[in-house]
Each structure stands twice: as structure tokens, then as C-alpha cells.
Amino acid sequence: MAEGKPHHHGNLRAALVEAGVALVHRDGPDALSIRKVAAAAGVSHAAPAHHFPSLLHLRTAIVAEGYRRFTASMETAIAEAPNTPRDAALGACLGYLRFARANSGLFDMMFGTTDCIHDDPDLRETADASYAVLARISAPFAGADPVDTELAIWSMIHGFASLAISGNGMHDAPDLEELFLRIFEALDLSAR
Amino acid sequence: MAEGKPHHHGNLRAALVEAGVALVHRDGPDALSIRKVAAAAGVSHAAPAHHFPSLLHLRTAIVAEGYRRFTASMETAIAEAPNTPRDAALGACLGYLRFARANSGLFDMMFGTTDCIHDDPDLRETADASYAVLARISAPFAGADPVDTELAIWSMIHGFASLAISGNGMHDAPDLEELFLRIFEALDLSAR
DNA sequence: TGTACATCAGTGAACGCGCGTTCACTGATGTAC
DNA sequence: TGTACATCAGTGAACGCGCGTTCACTGATGTAC
């Protein structure tokens, strides 16, 4: 009995984060509250205080979990098409886009103005892991300054994904991934 | 006396929008409330109800005002460098970036998950005017499908601006506009 | 094996706060006559 | 020019709500002996 249900609930902390992710998914970032999350996890509204000193801490943990899933989404898509550096870069972008579309509320918390504890070790670590994926797939195309290439690819997919989930500019696109493939062509990667 | 102070306050509606823009600028989109905006405009908290039936209406008016300033920012930057189609496109992007950096809260409301009355005629009109600027500067580079080119430029500058104001990826950049100039190079515009 | 105890996760009541909205009102404005 | 009146913007009190947080508590767990 070294693990699993060590006390009453059995890892309430993880259950709260999970409930928070679900709540943000359903009702958006602004709907997140300690009381709703506690209710969704089936505990009293005072219970979360034992795991998160404040709402800010809970939000931070949820955003960190977002980065974990974000990284996983990119890695999965990269693994599906690993043939060439270009395929890998495109794969990462498609993983990026899929995560944003499937988790728009979380995506908005991660990259919007929602404030978190930016010093939080877990948040730093999970966010850095996501950035590392982008740096890795950009490396083969690096010019004089690798950051330029990273930012070019990152800006393009981030902008596309953001616009897609906010409903701007692509109202009638039948297939967003197909559309992005064409947009991606406009990036002159090999020349750098 | 056909205009100016027609009744008590003298265009309280505009004053509330202005106060709302200032509040969002100082404290972010989540800080926006009818009561704070009324206080900032120097009226009682019940006064706004005569001009905005609900908070959603006020928010919508603020976002519409955001699009007005956004369009103006792009037009100003385009007018400063009108020599070539490429200069115009780059100018629009710099106007885009400057607006985002100077009005990050408003920018977030315009393109984030903040909900508005999307049917509102004023919002539709002001948002369409912004999109029209992007379509105009993209037109000279259009390939088979003009939307592809618009979206490529738009995704790139939108992503860059979003990442810049959220503090991701460009922590140590001394000059963001200079950095964007280099990123913009990666867009293969003439070839399309 | 049994007992006393420290630990700690979760409870439920209570707090004060800011919020959107409602409502009867006041008083200034502009107009009809 | 003066008077009665309709209009309407703004007031201040009141409402009910959901919120984060605090606090004394309960009761289960795990451990020392």
C-alpha cells in the first residue's frame, strides 16, 4: 500500500487539476473557480486549500498540465511523420494546431493574459519542454541566428492556431490542416 | 447647442468606453466591470445601464473601439512607408505589432476567448475594416487563392505579436521590430 | 497484538467583498401651446 | 414670453449571488512503544 489512496481521497490534487482542465474546456478560463473545481471533484469547497494555497496556485498547476499535454500533442504528431526535417517541423505544427483546437480554453490560459506564478518550477519545466520541441524541429533550418528560424516557424503556427480558435479569417475553411499545409509553403525554410 | 452635453453628462457613453479601455489597459480584461468603469467616469454605478443593457454590451463596445484603434495603427504605419507593396505589408505588420504591444489587454479581448455580441453591427463593421487592411496589403502577393497569402502574412504577424506580448520566446530581444524584420524575411512573398 | 498519539485531509459554517441588476426617485432638458 | 408637461440621464439604496479565504472541528491514517 505504498501508493494509491494514501489518505482519504487518493490524490485529490491530481483530481482537482483534472477537474479544472475539464471546467476550462467546457466553460472557458474565466469560469475557473476553486468552488466549482471542488464540487466537480466531489469534495467540499474548503478541501482544495490543503493542496493549493490560493486560486493562483491552482491556475498555475492547470496551465502546467496544459503544457504537458501540449508537448505530448506535438510529439505524437512528429512521431507520425518522422521522415524528413520538413515533415517533423510540419508534424510539430499540426500537433500544435490540434492541441489548440481541442483545448482552446487551456491554450488561451497558456498564451493569453491569464496570470500564473511564473516562477513555479513545474510550470517552468513543462513550458521549457514545449519550447524545446520547437527548437529541436527548427534546428535543421537554422541560419545565422537559430532563434530567428524558431520564431519564424513558431510565429506562423501560433498565429494560425490562435486565429483558428478565435474564429478569425478562416470561417469557411473545410479543412484547417489542409489550409495550414498551404500556408506553411510560404515559409522559405531551406533558404535560411 | 445642437451638440455637446445634450443632457447631464455629455456623451457618457463615449466616456464609459474610454474609461473601459483605460481600465483594461491598466488592469487587464478580467478587471473590467460596470462598477469600476462607472466610478472611473465619475458617475454612479447604475448610470451605465442607460447606455449599455448589460456588461456584454459594454465589452462589445470596448472591443469595437479596439478595432478602430487597431486599424488606425496599421494605417498610420503603412502611410509612413508607402513606397512598395512590400513596404506596405511590412508597415501594416509593424502597426499590428505596435498596437498589440501598446494595448495588450485590448488585443487579448479582440482575439482571445472573451465573449462579445458577435452580431453587433458596430463590432462587425470595425472588425471588417481591420481585416480589409490586411487583405489590401496582401493583394499584390496573391497567388491562386488570395486567402492563402492573407493568412500567411496574418498568421505570421499575429503569432509574433501574440508571443511578444505574452513574453514567450523573445525575452532578451533588444528591439522587437528589428527582430520581426528578420522573421518577415522568411516569408517567401514574391514567389507566390 | 494492543494502545496512545501525532499527523493531516476533508468538513461545514461563517466572514466580508465585489459584482450585475433592479427600482423608485430626482432633477435637468427640450418642447408644445 | 411664460407655463405645463413629457422625456430621459443620473442617483442611491437594495437585492441576491458566487467568490476566496479562514477556522474550529472530525475522523481516518500511520507510527511509536
Side-chain angles (χ1 to χ4, degrees), chain A residues 113, chain B residues 23-24 27-32 59 104-106 108-109 114:
Chain A
T113 60
Chain B
L23 187 68
V24 168
D27 301 334
D30 291 354
L32 188 72
R59 246 198 318 244
S104 58
L106 214 42
D108 201 67
M109 287 179 78
T114 307

Side-chain angles (χ1 to χ4, degrees), chain B residues 30-140:
Chain B
D30 291 354
L32 188 72
S33 79
I34 284 181
R35 294 175 96 107
K36 281 192 210 149
V37 164
V43 293
S44 83
H45 64 261
H50 289 276
H51 301 274
F52 302 100
S54 80
L55 178 60
L56 206 57
H57 290 80
L58 173 59
R59 246 198 318 244
T60 302
I62 288 170
V63 170
E65 176 61 23
Y67 276 110
R68 255 184 284 272
R69 298 183 185 195
F70 180 50
T71 300
S73 179
M74 286 191 287
E75 293 290 15
T76 298
I78 292 170
E80 283 171 1
N83 300 331
T84 67
R86 188 183 180 86
D87 286 339
L90 195 48
C93 288
L94 293 181
Y96 202 113
L97 179 59
R98 286 170 196 159
F99 175 83
R101 296 179 72 194
N103 307 273
S104 58
L106 214 42
F107 187 81
D108 201 67
M109 287 179 78
M110 289 156 61
F111 293 105
T113 60
T114 307
D115 53 12
C116 296
I117 302 162
H118 295 97
D119 291 352
D120 181 81
D122 190 39
L123 177 58
R124 292 295 281 264
E125 191 183 319
T126 54
D128 285 352
S130 294
Y131 303 159
V133 174
L134 287 163
R136 196 181 80 222
I137 58 98
S138 300

Side-chain angles (χ1 to χ4, degrees), chain A:
Chain A
M1 175 113 175
E3 52 198 319
K5 305 214 174 227
H7 277 295
H8 298 163
H9 179 283
N11 216 359
L12 177 57
R13 190 192 149 91
L16 291 170
V17 170
E18 181 59 41
V21 168
L23 188 67
V24 168
H25 183 259
R26 262 203 308 115
D27 300 334
D30 290 355
L32 188 72
S33 79
I34 284 181
R35 294 174 97 108
K36 280 193 210 147
V37 164
V43 294
S44 82
H45 65 261
H50 288 277
H51 301 275
F52 302 100
S54 79
L55 178 60
L56 207 56
H57 290 80
L58 173 59
R59 245 196 320 243
T60 302
I62 289 170
V63 170
E65 175 62 22
Y67 276 110
R68 256 185 284 272
R69 298 183 185 195
F70 180 49
T71 300
S73 179
M74 287 191 286
E75 293 289 14
T76 298
I78 292 171
E80 283 172 3
N83 300 333
T84 67
R86 188 182 179 86
D87 286 340
L90 195 49
C93 289
L94 293 181
Y96 202 112
L97 179 60
R98 287 170 195 159
F99 175 84
R101 295 180 73 194
N103 307 273
S104 58
L106 214 42
F107 187 81
D108 201 67
M109 286 179 79
M110 290 156 60
F111 294 105
T113 60
T114 308
D115 54 13
C116 296
I117 300 163
H118 295 97
D119 291 353
D120 182 81
D122 191 39
L123 177 58
R124 291 295 280 264
E125 191 183 319
T126 53
D128 285 351
S130 293
Y131 304 158
V133 175
L134 287 163
R136 196 181 79 222
I137 57 99
S138 300
F141 311 103
D145 189 344
V147 173
D148 288 8
T149 309
E150 291 170 22
L151 269 180
I153 296 175
W154 194 7
S155 292
M156 174 132 282
I157 179 55
H158 185 75
F160 188 87
S162 299
L163 292 171
I165 66 176
S166 72
N168 291 115
M170 36 196 98
H171 305 101
D172 50 359
D175 185 339
L176 279 185
E177 297 196 5
E178 172 63 32
L179 176 56
F180 181 75
L181 252 60
R182 275 182 282 137
I183 302 299
F184 190 71
E185 295 288 317
L187 262 186
D188 184 17
L189 285 182
S190 51
R192 295 190 64 78

